[in-house]
Amino acid sequence: MSKKSALILSLVAAVLLIFTFCHFYGDSPDEAAEETLRVQDATGVPAEAVAPPVKAEPPPVDVSAAPPSTGFLPTEMEEPGKFAAYQQKLKEMAVCLNMQMNALDPNVEINFETFNQVINPDLGEVVTQSEEWTATDIRTKNGELRRIYIENGPSIEAESSRTLKYEAFSQDGTSKSLPLSKEQTSNPSDALVASLEADGEVVSRSVSRRIFYSNGDDLLLVEKNGKIFSFELTHDGATFRCSGADKSSTFQCQCRNNP
C-alpha cells in the first residue's frame, strides 16, 4: 500500500471515530439549540430560567383546634387588626409587584372572591384553576388529632392522580403515619376518604389552588376553612408571598426581586 493510500485511510478512520463519538456521547449543537427553543416556545422564558412550580405548604396542625364557626361577619368587624393588616400588606404588594389594585371593601369577608376583586385590574380574568392538595383535620372520639392529606398531580398518562397520607398528631405536634395499603394511598376513592373523615369530627379544611389569569400570571393560594391562609404571586419581575393571613398576629409577607 502506498503512503498516499495509507494517509487517506487514516483520515477516513479519524472522521468515522469523531462521528461515532458525537453520535453516542452528546447532542449536536443544533439539537441542543432546538431543545432550548422548544422550552422557550412552551414556557415563554429562556430554558435556563425554567423552574419547577412552587408547592404551597399546608397550615400547621393546631392540636387544640375546635370545629370552625359558621356564619358571616365583615372582616373589619370580626377582626379589625386583620383588616388593617390586609390594607397594609396590599399596599406593600402593589409596590413590590408594580400593580394597580382596587380598594379593599370593609363590608366583606376576605376570601378568594373578594381578594381577587382587589388584585385583578392588572391580571385580568381568571382563565382556569387547579386544585393542588387538600388537608382535612379531624378529632377522634378519644381526642386524637388526625390529618387526611391528598395531593393531586399529573400521572405518566397525563391524567390526574391522587396520593393520600394519613397521619396522627400528638399534643406536642409530632406526627406518625397511620397504616394504609399501597392501593389506598394511590388514587384513593371518595368512599375511602369519606370513611376516614367519619373516624372523627372535622375541625379544619384547607385547600391549595393555583389560579391562572388571562395576562399569564398565576396565583398560588391556600385557604383554611374558607379564609385565605397564604398566597404567592409573581408579576413584573418580582414575587410577593404571604402566610398566616388568617390571623393578624401571624400575618407575614415578603417581597423578592427575581433574577
Side-chain angles (χ1 to χ4, degrees):
M1 181 184 295
S2 66
K3 291 183 178 180
K4 184 176 180 180
S5 298
L7 179 60
I8 292 173
L9 287 174
S10 298
L11 289 173
V12 170
V15 170
L16 288 173
L17 284 172
I18 293 172
F19 175 80
T20 302
F21 179 85
C22 292
H23 179 74
F24 287 102
Y25 293 96
D27 293 334
S28 69
D30 288 343
E31 289 173 333
E34 288 176 1
E35 177 62 23
T36 299
L37 288 174
R38 281 195 291 270
V39 174
Q40 291 177 357
D41 290 342
T43 63
V45 295
E48 61 270 18
V50 176
V54 176
K55 185 177 72 173
E57 292 297 322
V61 170
D62 182 0
V63 294
S64 61
S69 58
T70 58
F72 162 77
L73 279 176
T75 299
E76 186 180 32
M77 185 182 299
E78 179 186 28
E79 190 180 346
K82 177 180 171 181
F83 183 81
Y86 258 100
Q87 287 184 308
Q88 179 60 37
K89 302 303 183 185
L90 289 172
K91 289 179 182 178
E92 296 172 4
M93 183 177 180
V95 173
C96 172
L97 302 181
N98 190 29
M99 286 177 60
Q100 178 185 353
M101 291 193 181
N102 293 324
L104 181 62
D105 188 346
N107 297 314
V108 299
E109 181 182 34
I110 299 176
N111 51 33
F112 169 66
E113 285 70 25
T114 55
F115 181 72
N116 182 56
Q117 292 172 7
V118 176
I119 67 171
N120 70 0
D122 283 350
L123 304 179
E125 297 298 321
V126 173
V127 177
T128 188
Q129 54 184 291
S130 62
E131 186 177 284
E132 303 208 327
W133 53 256
T134 62
T136 303
D137 296 344
I138 64 171
R139 189 175 301 282
T140 63
K141 291 181 179 179
N142 64 3
E144 184 179 56
L145 190 74
R146 298 180 178 182
R147 171 165 287 182
I148 305 164
Y149 178 81
I150 300 174
E151 184 170 330
N152 301 311
S155 68
I156 297 176
E157 296 81 12
E159 297 177 354
S160 61
S161 62
R162 304 200 301 175
T163 303
L164 168 65
K165 289 175 62 178
Y166 192 33
E167 296 178 303
F169 292 82
S170 60
Q171 288 298 316
D172 62 1
T174 57
S175 64
K176 66 175 181 180
S177 296
L178 297 174
L180 290 173
S181 68
K182 184 177 180 180
E183 290 74 18
Q184 290 174 317
T185 59
S186 179
N187 288 320
S189 66
D190 292 340
L192 171 62
V193 175
S195 70
L196 295 179
E197 290 188 12
D199 287 343
E201 181 181 23
V202 174
V203 296
S204 176
R205 291 187 188 273
S206 301
V207 59
S208 174
R209 294 186 286 159
R210 192 176 293 273
I211 296 99
F212 298 88
Y213 289 89
S214 57
N215 77 328
D217 291 342
D218 62 89
L219 172 72
L220 183 59
L221 180 77
V222 174
E223 293 168 294
K224 179 181 178 182
N225 297 329
K227 299 179 180 180
I228 296 175
F229 174 79
S230 67
F231 59 90
E232 178 177 325
L233 179 66
T234 297
H235 179 81
D236 199 26
T239 298
F240 193 76
R241 178 187 297 127
C242 294
S243 63
D246 56 333
K247 298 178 182 178
S248 59
S249 59
T250 58
F251 200 168
Q252 299 290 331
C253 299
Q254 62 180 133
C255 174
R256 184 185 75 243
N257 291 320
N258 301 324

